[in-house]
């Protein structure tokens, strides 16, 4: 029986290495467009901290940090990215 959780982790780890540098239609073009819409919406919402569940590479949080000061946290499927504190710089807790 296949270990789909492990296969997903391997797949996402491989994609994370190039995700922020590419805009391919299959992996990152449309999610990045969606992140920009979310960024615009969240400019109108007051918050001091935010948890992005499924943050992947932290692309959305990087966008938000440019326009709004807050403590940002992200959880990703990959154990090498979890948990990540993105409030000032990328670092593992």
């Amino acid at each position: 029986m296949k270990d789909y959780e492990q296969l997903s982790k391997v797949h996402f780890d491989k994609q994370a290495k190039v995700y922020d540098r590419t805009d391919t239609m299959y992996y990152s073009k449309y999610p990045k467009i969606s992140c920009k819409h979310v960024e615009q919406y969240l400019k109108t919402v007051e918050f001091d901290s935010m948890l992005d569940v499924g943050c992947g590479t932290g692309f959305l949080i990087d966008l938000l940090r440019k326009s709004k000061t807050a403590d940002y946290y992200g959880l990703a499927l990959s154990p090498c990215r979890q948990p990540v504190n993105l409030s000032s710089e990328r670092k593992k807790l």
Side-chain angles (χ1 to χ4, degrees):
M1 186 175 260
K2 290 186 178 183
D3 182 351
Y4 288 104
E5 182 177 351
Q6 182 61 30
L7 289 171
S8 294
K9 288 178 183 179
V10 169
H11 175 76
F12 285 114
D13 282 346
K14 188 188 314 185
Q15 276 306 118
K17 293 175 184 175
V18 297
Y19 184 88
D20 290 337
R21 297 188 312 255
T22 62
D23 282 321
T24 64
M25 191 176 316
Y26 183 69
Y27 282 108
S28 56
K29 182 178 181 180
Y30 295 112
K32 286 180 179 178
I33 291 170
S34 297
C35 285
K36 291 177 184 177
H37 290 290
V38 171
E39 174 199 20
Q40 290 302 309
Y41 171 75
L42 288 177
K43 285 181 180 179
T44 66
V45 176
E46 290 191 35
F47 61 89
D48 295 332
S49 62
M50 186 188 78
L51 172 63
D52 182 359
V53 177
C55 70
T57 64
F59 182 83
L60 174 61
I61 292 173
D62 287 342
L63 281 177
L64 294 173
R65 285 178 50 222
K66 293 175 186 174
S67 62
K68 190 165 188 144
T69 302
D71 291 323
Y72 295 98
Y73 300 90
L75 287 174
L77 176 65
S78 173
C80 69
R81 301 277 305 154
Q82 176 176 321
V84 178
N85 176 347
L86 299 164
S87 58
S88 57
E89 63 182 69
R90 291 179 189 220
K91 61 182 178 180
K92 292 186 180 181
L93 292 176

